[in-house]
């Protein structure tokens, strides 16, 4: 209610200023008419000198009231001017011949204004003051004690009180309406703030347009992809695009949806712009979660009989009556049990981390830590693992996922390069910033992948090795997509190269950076 009262007070001050302008205009108008009416036929016929003095005083008082009203006083405090103005108008009415002169109608306006500005006892006091002024002038100053004049004065007083009562009722109704309107306006402002905050926080770009393709509203995400201004034309690329269109902005691939707005101006519509990489990452998360539930449900059912089968094969191989051919068969059984177990382990790796917990990593110290760990795991082989990475490069990635991806790629590169190069095997991890993207290259000096095998490279269970599971590269691609990154294979001269590509991170925008 305090907000409503203050709002009503502001509107009262505005009405008070308008009324002060009216009073000054009326005073000046009466002064002009009096100066033009030299014979005092229209006004001031009874007492011309008194009329001239009063109208001059009216101009001075009204001008002072204009100055006073411009300072935003309390409307109830300013009602004191109304008492003075009624006294002046009553005197002008006396100087013009009484109630028949028309001034009694002018007195009605201050009564109405005072009851609008100060409803209650103060407004009724103005009505009483006006009635007394009319009675005194008509009956005492002019000496008209006839019955018609007394009745006429009484009716005037009744009119003043009736008008005051009606005006106060309207004032209360107006204040109630203003209160309701203020509450609705406050609610609308709150909803606008909520909607704006929600809109700006959306990961998708949102643009509101009218039928003439003028931009009405947009969020920060849309402004990152396009140059937008309110009430400016929509970029031509978006004007021509239809629902389901795929747009490429730099390295970002967008999917556009156009939605018409019902119950709005005809032709209004919304454009939703979604990053396909984010959608793919969300789909990948769902895929990993589904695969995790699947593998968790079947792991127990497969591993228990597999363990029993392997144990039975080992016990059978220890018996004395088996000959060499039977011993070979038990060895085959055990080898295939181990291969099935490795396949289960690779599949379970997809389900152990269904959500990517991405962190901002300082890439060079993290790669140095990986180099030490990987070298310690392969101490039985002589090879070189080189690093090429700038100190300031950062990457936003799940560290466990990145560890698993690099281990798979480096292990594959080491295995294939060792078959051809032996102790001259060389691996290299190179990180570069190119085309506004961060590239992490894993290279080896092995024989590479043949052209007919490249199209199947990332398919699950595709392998060229007898004891391989074919899930290493597939797992690496799935984990990259879960981190909004991509992985691809390129054939380089005398080198095999896999490239992991992701969005770069600027150091100045980061608050928390992990070295390893």
């Amino acid at each position: 209610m305090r907000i409503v009262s203050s709002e009503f007070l502001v509107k009262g001050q505005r009405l008070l200023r308008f009324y002060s302008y009216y009073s000054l205009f009326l005073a000046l108008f009466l002064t002009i008419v009096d100066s033009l009416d030299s014979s005092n036929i229209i006004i001031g016929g009874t007492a011309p000198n008194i009329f001239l003095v009063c109208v001059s005083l009216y101009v001075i008082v009204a001008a002072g009231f204009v100055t006073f009203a411009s300072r935003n006083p309390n409307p109830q405090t300013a009602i004191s001017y109304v008492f003075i103005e009624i006294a002046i108008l009553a005197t002008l009415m006396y100087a013009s011949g009484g109630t028949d002169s028309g001034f009694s109608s002018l007195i009605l306006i201050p009564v109405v204004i005072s009851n609008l500005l100060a409803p209650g006892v103060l407004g009724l006091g103005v009505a009483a003051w006006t009635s007394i002024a009319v009675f005194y002038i008509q009956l005492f100053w002019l000496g008209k004690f006839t019955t018609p004049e007394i009745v006429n004065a009484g009716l005037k007083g009744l009119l003043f009180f009736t008008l005051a009562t009606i005006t106060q009722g309207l004032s209360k109704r107006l204040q109630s309406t203003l209160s309701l309107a203020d509450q609705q306006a406050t609610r609308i402002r709150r909803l606008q703030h909520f909607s704006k905050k929600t809109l700006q926080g959306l990961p998708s770009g949102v643009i509101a347009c009218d039928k003439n393709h003028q931009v009405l509203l947009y969020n920060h995400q849309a402004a990152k992809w396009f140059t937008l201004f309110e009430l400016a034309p929509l970029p031509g690329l978006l004007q021509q695009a239809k629902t389901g269109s795929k747009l490429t902005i730099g390295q970002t691939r967008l999917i556009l949806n156009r939605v018409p707005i019902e119950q709005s101006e005809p032709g209004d519509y919304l454009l939703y712009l979604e990053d396909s990489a984010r959608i793919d990452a969300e789909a990948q998360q769902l895929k990993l979660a589904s695969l995790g539930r699947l593998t968790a449900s079947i792991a127990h059912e497969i591993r228990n009989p597999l363990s029993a089968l392997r144990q039975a094969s080992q016990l059978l191989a220890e018996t004395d009556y088996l000959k060499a051919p039977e011993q070979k068969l038990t060895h085959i059984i055990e080898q295939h049990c181990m291969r099935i177990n490795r396949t289960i382990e690779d599949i379970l790796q997809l389900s152990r981390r269904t959500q990517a917990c991405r962190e901002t990593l300082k890439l060079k110290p993290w790669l140095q830590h990986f180099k030490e760990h990987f070298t310690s795991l392969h101490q039985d082989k002589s090879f070189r693992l080189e690093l090429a990475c700038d100190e300031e490069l950062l990457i936003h990635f799940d560290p466990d996922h990145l560890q698993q991806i690099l281990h798979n790629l480096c292990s594959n590169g080491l295995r294939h390069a060792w078959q051809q190069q032996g102790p001259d095997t060389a691996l290299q991890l190179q990180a570069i910033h190119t085309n506004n993207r961060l590239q992490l290259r894993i290279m080896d000096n092995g024989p590479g992948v043949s052209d007919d095998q490249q199209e199947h490279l990332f398919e699950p269970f595709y392998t060229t090795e007898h004891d391989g599971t074919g899930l290493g590269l597939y797992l690496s691609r799935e984990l990259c997509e879960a981190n909004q990154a991509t992985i691809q294979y390129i054939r380089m001269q005398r080198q095999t190269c896999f490239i992991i590509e992701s969005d770069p991170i600027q150091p100045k925008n980061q608050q928390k950076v992990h070295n390893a």
Side-chain angles (χ1 to χ4, degrees):
M1 292 302 296
R2 183 178 300 175
I3 297 176
V4 175
S5 299
S6 62
E7 181 69 17
F8 188 74
L9 181 63
V10 170
K11 290 181 170 58
Q13 292 170 348
R14 191 179 305 165
L15 177 61
L16 190 64
R17 285 196 298 273
F18 289 153
Y19 178 65
S20 68
Y21 301 147
Y22 158 78
S23 296
L24 181 59
F25 171 78
L26 178 61
L28 293 174
F29 177 76
L30 292 176
T31 303
I32 295 172
V33 172
D34 184 54
S35 63
L36 295 177
D37 184 21
S38 58
S39 300
N40 297 316
I41 299 175
I42 302 175
I43 54 178
T46 302
N49 294 330
I50 295 177
F51 188 93
L52 179 60
V53 172
C54 285
V55 79
S56 301
L57 180 63
Y58 192 15
V59 172
I60 296 173
V61 173
F65 182 58
V66 169
T67 304
F68 177 72
S70 62
R71 298 179 180 180
N72 296 326
N74 190 314
Q76 294 184 353
T77 305
I79 294 301
S80 57
Y81 167 78
V82 177
F83 286 92
I84 299 174
E85 184 179 33
I86 290 175
I88 294 174
L89 290 175
T91 305
L92 293 176
M93 181 177 66
Y94 159 74
S96 298
T99 55
D100 296 333
S101 62
F103 278 91
S104 58
S105 300
L106 293 177
I107 294 179
L108 294 177
I109 296 177
V111 174
V112 172
I113 295 299
S114 61
N115 281 273
L116 283 175
L117 295 175
V121 178
L122 188 58
L124 294 176
V126 172
W129 172 255
T130 308
S131 300
I132 292 173
V134 171
F135 267 92
Y136 187 80
I137 289 172
Q138 191 71 11
L139 301 179
F140 292 96
W141 279 18
L142 294 177
K144 297 180 179 180
F145 282 97
T146 62
T147 301
E149 292 297 333
I150 295 175
V151 172
N152 185 30
L155 291 176
K156 291 286 185 181
L158 178 62
L159 175 63
F160 295 147
F161 277 97
T162 303
L163 189 61
T165 304
I166 295 174
T167 304
Q168 290 195 20
L170 293 175
S171 177
K172 293 179 180 178
R173 180 70 63 86
L174 176 61
Q175 187 171 1
S176 177
T177 303
L178 290 175
S179 173
L180 180 60
D182 185 76
Q183 292 176 3
Q184 293 294 333
T186 302
R187 183 173 180 271
I188 291 173
R189 285 195 299 270
R190 291 178 61 193
L191 292 177
Q192 286 178 339
H193 292 321
F194 292 149
S195 301
K196 187 174 182 179
K197 189 67 176 179
T198 303
L199 180 66
Q200 298 299 341
L202 290 177
S204 304
V206 180
I207 307 174
C209 303
D210 60 12
K211 62 181 180 181
N212 297 320
H213 304 293
Q214 283 191 332
V215 177
L216 304 178
L217 182 68
Y218 59 90
N219 64 352
H220 295 319
Q221 192 64 37
K224 288 174 57 178
W225 294 326
F226 299 93
T227 302
L228 301 172
F229 300 97
E230 290 188 5
L231 302 181
L234 189 69
L237 180 64
L238 296 177
Q239 292 185 22
Q240 301 173 1
K242 299 180 180 179
T243 297
S245 300
K246 296 183 179 180
L247 310 176
T248 301
I249 307 299
Q251 298 293 328
T252 306
R253 294 185 297 275
L254 303 176
I255 299 177
L256 182 142
N257 286 314
R258 185 187 296 264
V259 180
I261 304 300
E262 299 178 355
Q263 299 179 350
S264 181
E265 293 296 327
D268 288 352
Y269 62 92
L270 283 176
L271 292 181
Y272 290 98
L273 300 165
E274 297 184 280
D275 189 349
S276 61
R278 185 181 61 84
I279 297 176
D280 293 341
E282 292 178 355
Q284 185 65 20
Q285 297 287 1
L286 294 175
K287 186 190 301 183
L288 291 176
S290 301
L291 185 57
R293 291 191 294 268
L294 176 62
T295 54
S297 63
I298 67 175
H300 179 74
E301 298 298 329
I302 294 179
R303 275 188 157 183
N304 283 350
L306 186 63
S307 298
L309 184 62
R310 183 181 178 187
Q311 186 177 9
S313 174
Q314 291 174 345
L315 293 175
L316 184 61
E318 294 175 359
T319 57
D320 298 335
Y321 57 83
L322 287 184
K323 298 180 181 179
E326 286 83 359
Q327 290 284 352
K328 183 177 180 180
L329 292 176
T330 59
H331 180 70
I332 293 174
I333 293 174
E334 185 174 355
Q335 291 295 320
H336 282 279
C337 287
M338 293 175 62
R339 181 180 179 184
I340 294 173
N341 187 66
R342 286 198 305 272
T343 302
I344 294 175
E345 287 290 342
D346 288 342
I347 294 176
L348 285 175
Q349 289 179 2
L350 294 174
S351 63
R352 286 171 183 163
R353 294 295 298 274
T354 57
Q355 295 289 335
C357 299
R358 302 171 70 193
E359 300 176 4
T360 301
L361 308 172
K362 292 189 75 172
L363 196 53
K364 186 170 183 178
W366 194 94
L367 291 177
Q368 290 173 342
H369 176 77
F370 171 79
K371 175 183 176 180
E372 296 172 0
H373 177 71
F374 185 80
T375 303
S376 64
L377 293 177
H378 299 85
Q379 295 180 357
D380 56 327
K381 294 181 180 179
S382 176
F383 65 95
R384 301 191 316 275
L385 179 55
E386 301 175 353
L387 298 180
C389 179
D390 293 336
E391 291 284 350
E392 68 275 7
L393 286 182
L394 304 176
I395 190 171
H396 200 49
F397 221 95
D398 186 312
D400 292 341
H401 286 183
L402 186 58
Q403 171 88 13
Q404 193 170 351
I405 294 169
L406 293 186
H407 185 272
N408 286 343
L409 297 176
C410 290
S411 296
N412 284 347
L414 177 60
R415 184 168 58 253
H416 289 90
W418 181 266
Q419 295 174 359
Q420 186 179 53
Q421 303 293 341
D424 295 329
T425 297
L427 303 178
Q428 185 179 19
L429 299 178
Q430 181 187 61
I432 59 174
H433 188 191
T434 178
N435 296 328
N436 201 28
R437 300 279 285 177
L438 178 64
Q439 289 188 356
L440 178 57
R441 299 185 176 188
I442 301 92
M443 297 176 286
D444 64 77
N445 57 352
V449 182
S450 61
D451 294 338
D452 58 334
Q453 293 175 348
Q454 288 185 23
E455 57 179 323
H456 306 290
L457 199 56
F458 294 99
E459 292 181 1
F461 304 108
Y462 177 79
T463 180
T464 58
E465 298 181 5
H466 177 69
D467 57 347
T469 63
L471 288 172
L473 293 178
Y474 172 74
L475 174 64
S476 298
R477 187 188 66 178
E478 298 294 295
L479 295 179
C480 283
E481 292 180 355
N483 288 271
Q484 299 186 22
T486 60
I487 183 173
Q488 59 178 330
Y489 167 81
I490 60 173
R491 184 75 176 270
M492 302 178 67
Q493 187 177 7
R494 298 180 180 179
Q495 279 186 324
T496 300
C497 179
F498 285 90
I499 298 179
I500 298 173
E501 193 172 70
S502 68
D503 292 328
I505 303 296
Q506 300 299 330
K508 63 181 180 180
N509 295 330
Q510 299 304 314
Q511 299 179 352
K512 183 178 180 181
V513 177
H514 299 270
N515 291 330

